[in-house]
Amino acid sequence: MPPRPSARASPTHFLCIPLVTPASRPQLSKSLAAFKADVTSQDSFAVPTDAVRPLGTLHLTLGVMSLPNNEGVDKAIEVLRGLRPREILAGIKPLSSITSLATPSQASNVHGATPPLSLNITLRGLNCMKSGPKADPSKASVLYAPPTYSEGIFQTFCEKIRAAFEEAGVMDKDNRGLLLHATIVNTIYAKGARGKKGSKLTIDATDILDRYDDYVWMEDVPVEKIAICRMGAKKIEGVDDQEYEVEAEIDF
């Protein structure tokens, strides 16, 4: 049966800011390993081990693309390579207020101050992804770490990067807004991830969120790359890790 005209094709690629860099790896490796050892312990929360995402997969998604049979990949790469991240950043007008978790260096970007020439990311805390009208930690399937400066200059920068791909027609416009997040737990990757009658595996993450509410995953790490990656993380030979295949990337 042919697909319905309104049916969306499955995403094949995604635009992202990779989070694992030479500067961030020591911090992320230590924080993620400690988290995994805790929440997967039978004496703690007994979260399925495979539900905790591998270090090499951590990123901030800016948007997804459906480019079947590689149609449109060249155009998407052309858009990426045509970006001028520092010029985009320089053209962003700082907001008059910032989040309470912004660092002092970020706080200097308000009240008419000049935008920074670089962007630094701090991941702090743990949230539950919505699976309906609102998030329900008692029936969670995805837990994520938010950038603490997810509004203001950084948020606007990411939205402008995504807009370039939407305007070029290689990415569908998403009216839901951009939720910047680094996925830490996703039960879809756990063995036996389907419950009774094919229902999605969920966990009660209420106490996990409380314990990791102020947990620092990485702090003050500069953005180094913007990349287009293929969907589906692959195992890295010789190590216990996975990563996404990079289709193309540019330096910040």
Side-chain angles (χ1 to χ4, degrees):
M1 178 181 294
R4 296 177 182 177
S6 60
R8 285 189 177 184
S10 298
T12 59
H13 296 73
F14 61 93
L15 176 68
C16 72
I17 293 178
L19 293 175
V20 182
T21 67
S24 71
R25 182 175 288 275
Q27 295 185 48
L28 281 174
S29 179
K30 182 178 180 180
S31 60
L32 187 62
F35 171 82
K36 184 174 183 178
D38 175 29
V39 301
T40 61
S41 170
Q42 294 300 315
D43 297 325
S44 186
F45 301 107
V47 172
T49 301
D50 292 337
V52 180
R53 300 301 290 136
L55 173 66
T57 66
L58 299 186
H59 64 275
L60 297 177
T61 300
L62 305 187
V64 298
M65 294 170 278
S66 179
L67 308 172
N69 302 317
N70 287 328
E71 294 180 6
V73 170
D74 289 344
K75 185 175 181 180
I77 293 175
E78 181 181 349
V79 175
L80 177 68
R81 291 177 175 166
L83 295 174
R84 298 294 180 266
R86 293 185 184 276
E87 291 181 13
I88 293 173
L89 180 61
I92 297 173
K93 183 178 180 180
L95 298 178
S96 60
S97 61
I98 56 176
T99 63
S100 60
L101 292 175
T103 63
S105 62
Q106 291 165 335
S108 67
N109 294 327
V110 297
H111 304 307
T114 302
L117 296 179
S118 64
L119 285 175
N120 290 0
I121 301 175
T122 293
L123 294 181
R124 183 192 299 271
L126 195 64
N127 293 343
C128 174
M129 188 70 74
K130 291 182 180 180
S131 57
K134 62 180 181 178
D136 183 357
S138 68
K139 297 179 181 179
S141 58
V142 176
L143 305 180
Y144 66 90
T148 58
Y149 192 45
S150 60
E151 294 181 347
I153 292 175
F154 184 55
Q155 179 79 23
T156 302
F157 172 81
C158 293
E159 290 172 350
K160 286 183 176 293
I161 294 294
R162 182 174 74 168
F165 286 78
E166 293 176 340
E167 292 166 3
V170 293
M171 181 182 294
D172 289 338
K173 291 189 176 182
D174 191 338
N175 296 322
R176 296 174 299 176
L178 177 59
L179 175 65
L180 294 171
H181 66 282
T183 300
I184 303 296
V185 173
N186 191 339
T187 61
I188 197 172
Y189 296 105
K191 294 179 180 178
R194 292 290 176 181
K196 295 180 180 179
K197 298 181 180 180
S199 60
K200 183 186 296 185
L201 175 65
T202 61
I203 58 176
D204 185 348
T206 305
D207 292 338
I208 299 177
L209 298 186
D210 286 342
R211 180 176 296 183
Y212 289 90
D213 178 60
D214 200 38
Y215 191 66
V216 177
W217 304 89
M218 70 180 202
E219 188 170 21
D220 207 26
V221 175
V223 173
E224 294 189 10
K225 305 280 186 180
I226 300 172
I228 295 174
C229 297
R230 288 181 174 271
M231 289 287 186
K234 298 180 179 180
K235 292 184 178 180
I236 302 175
E237 187 175 352
V239 296
D240 184 20
D241 199 2
Q242 298 178 29
E243 64 183 3
Y244 293 97
E245 180 182 347
V246 176
E247 191 77 64
E249 63 183 9
I250 60 170
D251 293 328
F252 177 81

